[in-house]
Amino acid sequence: MRVILAEDSTLLREGLVRLLVDEGHEVVAAVGDAVALVAAVEAEPPDVVVADVRMPPTHTDEGLRGALEIRRRWPDVGVLVLSQYVEKRYAVELLGGRTDGVGYLLKDRVVEVGEFLDALSRVGSGGTAFDPEVVRQLLARTSHTDSLGRLTERERTVLDQMAQGQTNATIAGHLHVSQSAVEKHVNAIFDKLGLSQTTGYSRRVLAVLRYLGS
């Protein structure tokens, strides 16, 4: 997979470059600010971008704004955002449009090499990957909403896993139940959220958007 990294910490950036190269990925560019990130993507679009949210010069949201520009200008490029903290507005903003090829991980997750590489692979192949802590905090933010409040505890757990980009088969493995049981919960979620089969859009995507963004 072809990757461009944007991380202002030289130590972390170099560490990620070595990790990705060791895992067989091609690091097209590794830069330290959002302007250089967008320029690198324009010069040679990769399969996926890994970008820190807070970057120079103000260390506020430069990386996030760069990531949003990349999603707008190069929709086929996956974007995996790294952040030190759960910044809900940024997570919701990333999900404001298409939800394919996007991820949001806390930097602490990067030290879990297997989880980081799995998230990178999912985002690079058009899937989604959200840190469980991000999902948990967004769930707390939305716990008062009426339609989500109708879900059972098990259905909310399944929706939580869906929001992390997991397939039904993977969710079944995590919950130690059959895939058909997961499919039953997913259909119940669609019904309770009022997502009919005639909407013309992916009900799975709509359910995740309702979960994360309402």
Side-chain angles (χ1 to χ4, degrees):
M1 189 177 298
R2 302 171 69 256
V3 183
I4 289 180
L5 288 172
E7 166 58 57
D8 60 307
S9 166
T10 303
L11 186 62
L12 179 55
R13 185 171 68 241
E14 293 303 317
L16 287 172
V17 169
R18 291 188 182 186
L19 170 63
L20 293 173
V21 170
D22 287 346
E23 291 296 324
H25 298 295
E26 177 187 355
V27 179
V28 178
V31 301
D33 62 71
V35 173
L37 167 64
V38 174
V41 173
E42 185 169 34
E44 191 171 359
D47 298 309
V48 61
V49 162
V50 179
D52 188 7
V53 167
R54 298 186 177 189
M55 302 187 75
T58 68
H59 295 279
T60 54
D61 62 356
E62 285 88 347
L64 185 280
R65 286 189 278 115
L68 291 173
E69 181 177 350
I70 289 166
R71 281 181 66 75
R72 178 178 58 79
R73 295 176 60 185
W74 298 279
D76 293 333
V77 175
V79 172
L80 177 60
V81 168
L82 303 179
S83 180
Q84 193 70 42
Y85 309 101
V86 179
E87 300 179 85
K88 298 174 185 175
R89 179 172 65 86
Y90 294 154
V92 171
E93 195 167 353
L94 269 176
L95 285 165
R98 298 163 53 241
T99 56
D100 55 317
V102 63
Y104 189 114
L105 291 185
L106 295 182
K107 284 189 173 178
D108 288 346
R109 194 69 56 188
V110 174
V111 300
E112 302 293 338
V113 174
E115 292 185 26
F116 169 67
L117 293 174
D118 177 65
L120 181 72
S121 176
R122 274 190 277 152
V123 171
S125 59
T128 59
F130 284 84
D131 192 288
E133 180 60 19
V134 175
V135 173
R136 188 190 69 77
Q137 293 200 26
L138 289 174
L139 175 61
R141 176 175 181 260
T142 61
S143 61
H144 63 283
T145 56
D146 52 357
S147 58
L148 290 171
R150 298 173 58 201
L151 303 183
T152 65
E153 182 177 350
R154 176 63 92 179
E155 289 162 355
R156 293 178 72 85
T157 300
V158 170
L159 185 52
D160 178 281
Q161 296 272 309
M162 290 165 59
Q164 293 177 44
Q166 307 293 353
T167 65
N168 287 356
T170 303
I171 294 171
H174 288 170
L175 300 182
H176 306 292
V177 298
S178 67
Q179 187 168 334
S180 62
V182 173
E183 291 169 353
K184 182 179 178 181
H185 288 310
V186 170
N187 285 328
I189 291 167
F190 293 157
D191 289 341
K192 291 182 179 179
L193 296 185
L195 301 173
S196 72
Q197 296 187 41
T198 58
T199 59
Y201 298 95
S202 166
R203 289 190 294 169
R204 197 177 187 92
V205 171
L206 292 174
V208 170
L209 283 172
R210 182 81 59 83
Y211 178 54
L212 295 178
S214 64

